[in-house]
Amino acid sequence: MRVESASEAAKISGYREALTELLFQLADDELVMGHRDSEWLGLAPDIEEDVAFSSIAQDEVGHSVYFYERLHELGETDSDRLAFGREANRRRNAVVLERPNGDWAYTIARHFFYDVFDQIRLEALSTSGYVPLAHGVTKIRREEHYHLLHMRLWFTRLGSAGGEATERMRRAVRDLWPEIGGLFSLGDAESRLLEFGIIPFGAAELKRRWEQQVRPAFEEAKLPWPGSPAAPDLDGRKGQHTPDLERLLDSMTEVFRLDPAARW
């Protein structure tokens, strides 16, 4: 019978902790974005966008469930409680995603920036040493590809339209930019994620690839490039959040809190 050494046990523990942190980042990003998308139901500019955002919201929440289920396999509680039963300081979503939707331009710009980032992150994870994650992102990438096409079209259309549409898009970019850098953080787990081969590259490369894809969209939209995004004051990957997340959770978990023992 093989007995694990202390160093082997520590390595296994470190691997699990790093993987858990990443899965929470993935799941919480998708859940928060899905909830924000759902808030446009009945409020989008036209019926086509009502339908589109409803579908996108369903996709995002479905992706979050996949990641929460992987966490459950690693010993965390069930997906309902992971989604609805955790306090704000235990969430790992990027802060920019928890902000209220604002106007249509703000929503489109944020979604476009996030979808580019998410595409890069998922592409990286398709080669992850953690096989269930590498396999699972294959289907998710296909769905996210269409989200990105949709948001890029809106981003370039509004940016280049002139008049109020362009002014609103410029304002949206200006308001979003101070917190966009928070997307690229891998929190305290980055060095271990790289060490264990869970993700092939870190925050700096995520950001470089993101800029490489986003800058041409700015040119197409005839919008000025604001410069490389800086790290924000709050890092959501470390559980640092704003009162906006508290309010979002109050709304999102209202039904769950009526009977936490029920299956939703």
Side-chain angles (χ1 to χ4, degrees):
M1 179 177 176
R2 184 175 181 274
V3 179
E4 291 180 357
S5 68
S7 61
E8 287 176 321
K11 186 174 182 179
I12 292 170
S13 176
Y15 180 91
R16 182 191 176 283
E17 288 175 6
L19 178 59
T20 296
E21 278 293 308
L22 179 63
L23 287 168
F24 271 125
Q25 292 173 25
L26 290 158
D28 292 345
D29 277 355
E30 292 288 279
L31 182 65
V32 169
M33 278 302 289
H35 184 77
R36 286 302 188 205
D37 288 345
S38 73
E39 293 174 343
W40 278 105
L41 182 59
L43 300 174
D46 53 45
I47 187 63
E48 288 83 1
E49 285 308 308
D50 257 349
V51 174
F53 261 69
S54 295
S55 177
I56 291 170
Q58 281 188 307
D59 285 346
E60 306 288 22
V61 172
H63 301 163
S64 75
V65 171
Y66 176 80
F67 296 126
Y68 287 133
E69 287 175 345
R70 302 293 75 72
L71 283 159
H72 184 49
E73 291 172 354
L74 291 169
E76 300 291 332
T77 189
D78 65 84
S79 56
D80 282 345
R81 283 162 180 76
L82 291 176
F84 302 123
R86 292 153 54 229
E87 299 298 325
N89 63 4
R90 296 183 59 207
R91 306 280 172 160
R92 295 295 182 262
N93 59 278
V95 169
V96 69
L97 305 182
E98 69 201 38
R99 296 300 192 182
N101 283 328
D103 66 8
W104 188 243
Y106 183 96
T107 288
I108 292 297
R110 174 171 63 183
H111 223 304
F112 172 58
F113 297 154
Y114 172 70
D115 286 347
V116 174
F117 159 73
D118 197 36
Q119 179 192 60
I120 295 166
R121 179 171 59 177
L122 291 172
E123 182 180 3
L125 292 172
S126 68
T127 64
S128 174
Y130 183 60
V131 175
L133 185 56
H135 286 174
V137 300
T138 301
K139 178 177 183 291
I140 293 173
R141 285 178 67 193
R142 287 198 296 267
E143 293 177 346
E144 292 291 352
H145 173 72
Y146 292 104
H147 300 179
L148 176 55
L149 291 178
H150 189 79
M151 299 305 164
R152 177 169 180 145
L153 179 62
W154 267 105
F155 181 79
T156 55
R157 179 188 295 171
L158 291 175
S160 60
E164 184 179 357
T166 296
E167 178 54 38
R168 283 175 178 261
M169 185 55 75
R170 285 174 176 260
R171 184 166 63 244
V173 170
R174 183 192 66 219
D175 292 346
L176 286 160
W177 216 248
E179 292 180 335
I180 283 296
L183 289 171
F184 315 114
S185 171
L186 293 169
D188 294 326
E190 178 169 358
S191 62
R192 288 173 294 163
L193 289 168
L194 295 171
E195 175 189 352
F196 294 125
I198 298 170
I199 193 168
F201 50 79
E205 182 63 10
L206 284 168
K207 181 180 174 183
R208 187 192 71 80
R209 296 188 184 200
W210 181 86
E211 289 187 15
Q212 195 174 48
Q213 293 190 35
V214 170
R215 290 191 72 155
F218 270 79
E219 294 173 9
E220 187 179 346
K222 299 180 175 61
L223 295 169
W225 176 248
S228 183
D233 294 334
L234 297 177
D235 188 347
R237 311 302 190 199
K238 299 179 181 179
Q240 301 166 358
H241 295 285
T242 70
D244 288 328
L245 183 59
E246 295 278 4
R247 288 187 282 270
L248 183 153
L249 293 176
D250 283 346
S251 172
M252 187 176 71
T253 66
E254 184 177 6
V255 175
F256 176 81
R257 285 183 279 114
L258 294 174
D259 186 1
R263 288 190 61 81
W264 301 100

